[in-house]
Amino acid sequence: MCSSALVDGDVLDDVAALVTERNRIDAALARAVRAAELAQAPERDGQKSMASWLRGHGRLSGSEALRLVTAGRALEHLPALAKAAEAGLVSAGQVAEAARAVTPRRLAAAAERGVDLAVVDAVFTQVATEQPHADLVAVVARYLLGLEPDGPEPDPTEGRRLVFVRHADGSVSFSGHLDAVGGEKVQTAVEAHVQADRPAGDERTRAQRQGDALLQIADNALATGAVPVLRTVRPHVAVRIDLDDLATGQGAADMGFGATISAARARWLACDGRISRVVFGPDGVPLDVGREQRLVSGALRRAVELRDGGCVFTGCDAPSHWTDVHHLVHWIDGGETSLENSALLCERHHTKVHHGFRVERQPSGRWRTWRPDGTEITTPEPLLSPAA
């Protein structure tokens, strides 16, 4: 028993040491991100912000990238907390909690009220280093309540949010928050479909019926065209599948937002008259564009979207509906309006390419990007597992 207890103690000491080291690294990283932001360093790689650079070059999620940027800004205003974090005594989660108190709007409110931010910083640091995480949450909440006793300005749009999370199997979870009036509108629309679809013997749960209702609302909007036109093309469900897989019903297909589905399900979608269909041959050239007889502007854009998936500028994760179709050889210089001479670029990177940056598609289908000085923009190579 004693031997086991000693081993367990050693393991726990290792865990404690690693937590401390992680805290130090998180603090150092946040500070470095802030320094890069102040130096406008992302511009070197054609990015507009550290958040976008971290997503594309650091392969971080959007929320993690934003957390780092926010932490770096917050630590500038909370030097005592920053010092504790750099010593490994304060976690990234605690920094994120304290950061809620030093947003630009709240800093302005504190200045108006004559709040001594050094005192706030000291209190936050003491609680963060000596008490449980929940206590810091409560202290920050009490501070914000004192700073804004009537709550934030009652603009309902400020608190609205909707977040989609795609899982490895292609399924999607989402969460969000709406103000009272916005929530009432959405619930009313969903409930209308719930009540209109109650067949005899229906054994679906309430949650399942509401999920089906939301999907029906989306189906109706897409089918009737009651959605905004994006970049000259009416929004549509996009599926890319190899010709052989479509013919045999074997294999897999990729959808516009990145999900992978079976070839059999892709065939089912292709049979629906409301679905635009673009079939590529092995050389990447469109062989079939649904019922259209030739490649007009809308069909060509759909083909480019399915091939590129989004902005092709290295490190950019802008989706296809944010992009323009760029002529690799400019039209004014004799470039054709064709799939081979096209590339999807978001507005920012389309501008960059017209001001010295360059993108090029390799025979393998991989896109590469060069800076105006001729050096290539690269992202880290994939991490490979060591050989067994």
Side-chain angles (χ1 to χ4, degrees), residues 11-25:
V11 172
L12 292 176
D13 288 343
D14 289 344
V15 170
L18 289 170
V19 168
T20 299
E21 187 62 23
R22 185 182 72 171
N23 292 345
R24 289 196 189 105
I25 292 172

Side-chain angles (χ1 to χ4, degrees), residues 45-69:
D45 287 341
Q47 299 297 329
K48 66 178 179 179
S49 68
M50 276 307 298
S52 60
W53 189 94
L54 287 165
R55 292 196 306 270
H57 291 256
R59 295 181 180 144
L60 301 186
S61 68
S63 59
E64 184 67 7
L66 182 60
R67 181 191 67 76
L68 275 172
V69 171

Side-chain angles (χ1 to χ4, degrees), residues 187-200:
Q187 282 186 283
T188 299
V190 169
E191 188 64 23
H193 287 274
V194 168
Q195 296 303 325
D197 182 21
R198 300 181 64 183

Side-chain angles (χ1 to χ4, degrees), residues 271-295:
C271 290
D272 190 329
R274 293 173 296 176
I275 303 297
S276 297
R277 185 174 72 254
V278 180
V279 181
F280 287 80
D283 57 356
V285 177
L287 301 179
D288 178 16
V289 190
R291 289 168 299 279
E292 298 182 19
Q293 300 302 309
R294 60 189 179 88
L295 288 181

Side-chain angles (χ1 to χ4, degrees), residues 12-366:
L12 292 176
D13 288 343
D14 289 344
V15 170
L18 289 170
V19 168
T20 299
E21 187 62 23
R22 185 182 72 171
N23 292 345
R24 289 196 189 105
I25 292 172
D26 283 339
L29 180 56
R31 284 297 190 96
V33 166
R34 180 56 175 161
E37 182 178 47
L38 290 174
Q40 297 183 323
E43 288 287 348
R44 178 175 180 272
D45 287 341
Q47 299 297 329
K48 66 178 179 179
S49 68
M50 276 307 298
S52 60
W53 189 94
L54 287 165
R55 292 196 306 270
H57 291 256
R59 295 181 180 144
L60 301 186
S61 68
S63 59
E64 184 67 7
L66 182 60
R67 181 191 67 76
L68 275 172
V69 171
T70 301
R73 294 171 182 172
L75 291 176
E76 279 193 332
H77 299 289
L78 301 169
L81 190 72
K83 186 175 181 180
E86 289 164 356
L89 303 176
V90 175
S91 71
Q94 290 173 306
V95 173
E97 197 60 41
R100 297 172 54 220
V102 289
T103 62
R105 178 168 60 83
R106 285 166 176 161
L107 285 171
E112 283 183 15
R113 291 172 173 268
V115 173
D116 187 345
L117 203 59
V119 173
V120 175
D121 183 19
V123 171
F124 285 179
T125 303
Q126 182 177 3
V127 175
T129 56
E130 298 178 3
Q131 299 179 40
H133 181 88
D135 290 354
L136 178 62
V137 174
V139 167
V140 173
R142 284 198 294 271
Y143 169 72
L144 295 180
L145 184 61
L147 191 64
E148 302 170 328
D150 297 324
E153 289 295 318
D155 180 354
T157 65
E158 288 189 0
R160 293 177 187 163
R161 64 180 185 276
L162 181 61
V163 180
F164 291 92
V165 178
R166 185 174 301 283
H167 304 291
D169 64 354
S171 62
V172 174
S173 297
F174 52 90
S175 61
H177 179 83
L178 297 174
D179 60 283
V181 175
E184 188 73 13
K185 290 178 180 178
V186 172
Q187 282 186 283
T188 299
V190 169
E191 188 64 23
H193 287 274
V194 168
Q195 296 303 325
D197 182 21
R198 300 181 64 183
D202 187 3
E203 296 182 354
R204 293 174 299 167
T205 65
R206 172 76 179 177
Q208 288 172 324
R209 292 200 302 271
Q210 290 184 155
D212 288 342
L214 184 60
L215 182 58
Q216 188 62 58
I217 290 172
D219 274 344
N220 292 350
L222 290 171
T224 60
V227 286
V229 171
L230 300 177
R231 308 286 181 169
T232 75
V233 179
R234 195 178 77 180
H236 55 279
V237 175
V239 182
R240 175 171 180 166
I241 182 170
D242 290 340
L243 180 59
D244 290 344
D245 290 346
L246 183 65
T248 63
Q250 303 297 316
D254 296 322
M255 302 193 72
F257 280 95
T260 299
I261 61 173
S262 68
R265 188 156 181 81
R267 290 178 61 152
W268 174 74
L269 284 171
C271 290
D272 190 329
R274 293 173 296 176
I275 303 297
S276 297
R277 185 174 72 254
V278 180
V279 181
F280 287 80
D283 57 356
V285 177
L287 301 179
D288 178 16
V289 190
R291 289 168 299 279
E292 298 182 19
Q293 300 302 309
R294 60 189 179 88
L295 288 181
V296 297
S297 59
L300 175 59
R301 179 174 177 93
R302 288 197 294 274
V304 180
E305 284 181 354
L306 286 173
R307 185 194 66 190
D308 295 347
C311 180
V312 301
F313 197 99
T314 299
C316 185
D317 59 358
S320 60
H321 50 275
W322 290 7
T323 60
D324 300 319
V325 176
H326 165 70
H327 284 70
L328 295 172
V329 177
H330 300 317
W331 181 82
I332 195 67
D333 296 326
E336 296 181 351
T337 302
S338 64
L339 180 66
E340 293 76 11
N341 194 43
S342 299
L344 285 187
L345 291 169
C346 67
E347 182 179 8
R348 174 180 178 78
H349 290 136
H350 199 175
T351 302
K352 289 288 185 184
V353 167
H354 280 276
H355 288 81
F357 286 78
R358 180 169 60 89
V359 295
E360 181 180 295
R361 190 169 187 263
Q362 305 299 300
S364 65
R366 177 191 171 209

